[in-house]
Amino acid sequence: MSSLFGQASLFLLLSTFLSFFNAEAKIHHLKWEIKYEYKSPDCFRKLAITINGLTPGPMITATQGDTLVVDVTNTLLTENAAIHWHGIRQIGTPWSDGTEGVTQCPIMPGDTFTYRFVVDRAGTYMYHAHYGMQRSAGLHGLIRVLVPPGTVEPFKYDDELHLVLNDWWHKSTYEQTAGLSSPNFEWVGEPQSLLINGRGKFNCSLAGGGDSCNLANSECSPASLTVVQGRTYRLRIASVASLSAFNLEIEAHNMTIVEVDGYYVKPVVVKNLNIYSGETYSVILKADEDKSRNYWVALNVVSRKPNTPTGTAILNYYPNHPLKPPPTATPIGPPWNDTLYRFNQSKSIVSHPNFIEAPPPTSNRLIILLNTFLTSPLSPTPTLSRHHHPHPTAWALNNISFTLPTTPYLIAMKSQMQHVFSQKPAPETYDYKNYNIHVVSSNPNTVSSNSVYRLEFGSTVDVILQNANTLSANNSETHPWHLHGHDFWVLGYGMGKFDPEVDSKKYNLFDPIQRNTVPLHPYGWTALRFRADNPGVWAFHCHIEAHFFMGMGVVFEEGVEKVGELPSSIMGCGESKHLRRRA
Ligand code: C2O
Ligand code: CU
């Protein structure tokens, strides 16, 4: 096994191992109260979900090997909740993953639920709600996991800054979900604003009068990042967007990509960074411009035809006033429909040469997932399921539109309940010889199901995400796919239909990046490999909030029999009522 790893990665493994036994490993005890509050992040007043009064929530900073203990009190009054620690693998604590319906029952109003887990890998991560579409309501934030003292990173900087990127709607998530699941399907539409560190600017003249929109409100003054000329900064960037793919540009400055999702990258210099929902980056920024003025930080929508103004923040050169607007026009980014440009940027991201952890050279299983969109009526759900009337408009993988069971999988599988989710194995592939991904297809055989993929513990699994045409001619969308509980190697991206015979021979087995979220580009395919070595039950889904809600996800199980005794705090819903009482 060790022959598969380079020396650098052996060192990494060793330092990870040591940090667990590091006498300095700390326990961070956080107390969070989540509730609805009126906020005006883009000057328009609406209800947002806050953590201790904040949206985005408080930034978490810990050191690799530390333990986080987060007491979450649900004060939403009439709404359940759950919080997912996106990018944290939850090794040994699958019940703390925070995925409602998969790893836990929701936290009911008035209850306090304690998440307890180790942050085992340095890097930039995020947390967010994983119940309904609550992430869209503002329940999200950044996690920074620092390297243990004495560890040298492959880049240098004087200071850190951060950017949390988001898209924002004025409709409530209730209105959005009701629209998505109604028979006269109502799409959420393009966002009203783009937010940087929770701040944006809506054109209040469109808000129809009244005092609900006020440009003078200090809650919507732009985010400002202050830099000193001559210094170098590490910018940690996370996209918690509900829908949009973003292009980020910092006027007159290049960015050097050095980290993605906790892995060091062979440095890539870019003028524009494409970032998809669920992704995190660290970039190095040199403050080497004329210091007599400020510069724009500009966020533009790509991959969907934009109908939202550019999101802006200010790169403030000391000693200018932090809010002094730059004298120039806001950068408008690359053409929104330049897929090839985004595809090539994705391909350019590979592992840092000194930190290569080579993937296993072969895999034990190949799962090809065809991503399709449909409006045909779905057959009724065969087993107990959240939606007794499945969504009439849905996303599907290999003709299965995913629906959550009423009893979370982790509890059901650990206690061997066979009747609470479909026992029919989820399909391994689709008819790739005959299916035409370039034409509109109604995919009439699609059903709604909560079936899962059971993976052999310790095996290596390849997943090919295959994109296709939507229900509009010449349209295929970008889907950022996120895997819980693991990081995967990105073996390749392609345009068109994946051919297992031909394309698997072109995989990058030498220096592929590892990460937890990856884009599937329009009409393209993305190939991933991971080791099924983390006992638990893990969601793998499109990180677009509305797409997952409409069935765009699957579930993997591995080694559930190796999972330790489940805390009874995750139980209480569906068939796990009885278990909680007993516990
Ligand atoms: Cu960040 Cu299951 O998601
Ligand atoms: Cu999607």
Side-chain angles (χ1 to χ4, degrees):
M1 175 104 142
S2 65
S3 66
L4 291 175
F5 293 91
Q7 246 180 339
S9 36
L10 256 184
F11 169 74
L12 265 183
L13 281 178
L14 191 67
S15 58
T16 308
F17 179 77
L18 286 177
S19 69
F20 282 120
F21 298 92
N22 184 347
E24 285 163 43
K26 286 200 192 66
I27 298 179
H28 303 259
H29 205 139
L30 308 174
K31 287 194 184 308
W32 284 4
E33 184 185 27
I34 59 175
K35 60 173 190 289
Y36 272 106
E37 287 181 81
Y38 278 107
K39 290 283 176 187
S40 305
D42 65 347
C43 306
F44 181 89
R45 188 166 169 269
K46 83 164 262 216
L47 280 175
I49 301 181
T50 60
I51 299 173
N52 298 348
L54 302 171
T55 173
M59 178 161 78
I60 295 179
T61 301
T63 301
Q64 179 174 299
D66 288 356
T67 297
L68 291 179
V69 181
V70 192
D71 296 326
V72 177
T73 300
N74 177 1
T75 313
L76 298 175
L77 304 180
T78 58
E79 205 171 319
N80 294 332
I83 299 184
H84 169 55
W85 315 93
H86 174 121
I88 309 297
R89 291 169 295 178
Q90 301 291 353
I91 296 165
T93 52
W95 50 77
S96 276
D97 191 47
T99 314
E100 185 272 333
V102 179
T103 64
Q104 71 168 100
C105 293
I107 312 169
M108 302 218 295
D111 277 0
T112 298
F113 183 93
T114 301
Y115 292 97
R116 187 185 182 101
F117 55 90
V118 174
V119 289
D120 66 299
R121 187 178 177 87
T124 310
Y125 307 104
M126 67 183 81
Y127 61 80
H128 59 76
H130 219 296
Y131 178 75
M133 284 175 52
Q134 282 176 344
R135 191 178 85 225
S136 305
L139 214 184
H140 48 69
L142 196 68
I143 304 177
R144 294 191 310 155
V145 181
L146 312 178
V147 293
T151 311
V152 182
E153 298 196 279
F155 43 86
K156 288 204 167 59
Y157 52 95
D158 301 305
D159 219 336
E160 278 199 18
L161 298 164
H162 69 271
L163 294 171
V164 175
L165 311 177
N166 193 21
D167 44 11
W168 191 249
W169 282 257
H170 292 167
K171 273 191 178 176
S172 72
T173 48
Y174 285 114
E175 289 170 284
Q176 294 190 349
T177 52
L180 293 175
S181 34
S182 100
N184 327 312
F185 181 72
E186 206 179 302
W187 175 237
V188 299
E190 296 304 308
Q192 273 66 59
S193 299
L194 305 183
L195 307 183
I196 301 179
N197 293 347
R199 286 149 184 280
K201 188 141 286 186
F202 185 66
N203 177 355
C204 282
S205 66
L206 303 174
D211 54 5
S212 64
C213 200
N214 178 2
L215 290 170
N217 190 331
S218 64
E219 281 179 24
C220 60
S221 68
S224 177
L225 311 181
T226 301
V227 296
V228 175
Q229 193 194 40
R231 296 180 71 108
T232 301
Y233 296 85
R234 175 185 195 163
L235 223 58
R236 295 189 189 253
I237 308 168
S239 172
V240 298
S242 291
L243 170 67
S244 314
F246 291 137
N247 181 272
L248 177 74
E249 179 167 344
I250 301 179
E251 186 188 9
H253 295 74
N254 282 332
M255 297 175 269
T256 306
I257 305 173
V258 292
E259 180 226 330
V260 304
D261 299 358
Y263 289 84
Y264 299 129
V265 176
K266 180 162 152 194
V268 191
V269 180
V270 295
K271 182 166 166 287
N272 295 75
L273 175 71
N274 298 307
I275 176 166
Y276 306 92
S277 176
E279 290 189 329
T280 57
Y281 284 90
S282 286
V283 301
I284 297 294
L285 176 88
K286 283 207 173 74
D288 54 5
E289 276 300 312
D290 172 8
K291 66 173 180 183
S292 68
R293 51 163 290 198
N294 290 339
Y295 298 84
W296 291 113
V297 176
L299 191 62
N300 285 290
V301 169
V302 286
S303 130
R304 305 178 60 85
K305 189 163 193 282
N307 192 18
T308 312
T310 301
T312 55
I314 293 171
L315 183 71
N316 165 234
Y317 269 69
Y318 179 82
N320 293 290
H321 189 281
L323 295 181
K324 189 181 175 200
T328 41
T330 329
I332 54 163
W336 69 270
N337 54 1
D338 191 345
T339 305
L340 190 62
Y341 158 73
R342 293 194 303 279
F343 177 85
N344 285 334
Q345 191 174 85
S346 296
K347 275 178 63 161
S348 73
I349 296 170
V350 295
S351 173
H352 189 286
N354 298 343
F355 292 85
I356 295 172
E357 295 173 36
T362 57
S363 79
N364 306 105
R365 187 163 169 186
L366 172 64
I367 298 171
I368 306 182
L369 296 174
L370 175 70
N371 293 231
T372 53
F373 183 61
L374 69 148
T375 50
S376 57
L378 300 180
S379 357
T381 316
T383 50
L384 276 177
S385 198
R386 179 70 50 81
H387 306 287
H388 294 286
H389 304 284
H391 298 159
T393 306
W395 287 92
L397 291 312
N398 296 348
N399 285 344
I400 303 277
S401 183
F402 177 71
T403 170
L404 285 164
T406 47
T407 307
Y409 291 105
L410 181 61
I411 308 170
M413 289 180 180
K414 182 77 180 145
S415 14
Q416 302 190 22
M417 296 174 188
Q418 312 259 301
H419 57 292
V420 295
F421 65 93
S422 167
Q423 300 296 306
K424 199 173 160 198
E428 300 280 308
T429 187
Y430 71 107
D431 182 9
Y432 63 82
K433 292 230 155 64
N434 299 307
Y435 193 92
N436 187 343
I437 63 157
H438 291 280
V439 300
V440 171
S441 162
S442 62
N443 301 294
N445 298 325
T446 303
V447 295
S448 163
S449 173
N450 51 28
S451 61
V452 303
Y453 294 90
R454 306 200 76 149
L455 309 176
E456 193 183 331
F457 185 73
S459 64
T460 299
V461 180
D462 283 1
V463 176
I464 312 299
L465 295 161
Q466 175 66 60
N467 216 334
N469 207 101
T470 61
L471 290 175
S472 321
N474 301 313
N475 179 258
S476 180
E477 297 188 13
T478 303
H479 304 284
W481 276 82
H482 170 59
L483 178 58
H484 290 218
H486 309 74
D487 300 315
F488 46 73
W489 286 274
V490 183
L491 301 185
Y493 299 90
M495 291 288 198
K497 192 156 62 168
F498 177 82
D499 180 333
E501 307 297 312
V502 178
D503 293 312
S504 63
K505 300 202 169 68
K506 298 184 222 150
Y507 286 161
N508 175 8
L509 297 173
F510 169 63
D511 63 355
I513 192 69
Q514 283 175 271
R515 55 188 318 173
N516 62 60
T517 307
V518 71
L520 171 61
H521 292 289
Y523 297 111
W525 55 263
T526 301
L528 317 176
R529 178 168 293 176
F530 66 96
R531 278 204 192 91
D533 58 1
N534 189 9
V537 188
W538 308 106
F540 178 50
H541 62 90
C542 175
H543 212 260
I544 292 176
E545 194 87 307
H547 288 185
F548 181 49
F549 184 78
M550 293 161 73
M552 199 165 207
V554 300
V555 164
F556 295 128
E557 175 276 330
E558 73 220 31
V560 76
E561 67 289 342
K562 294 184 168 57
V563 170
E565 194 188 331
L566 301 178
S568 74
S569 57
I570 65 169
M571 302 170 188
C573 57
E575 297 291 302
S576 73
K577 281 188 203 89
H578 325 293
L579 294 174
R580 185 167 189 165
R581 237 176 267 138
R582 233 185 289 144

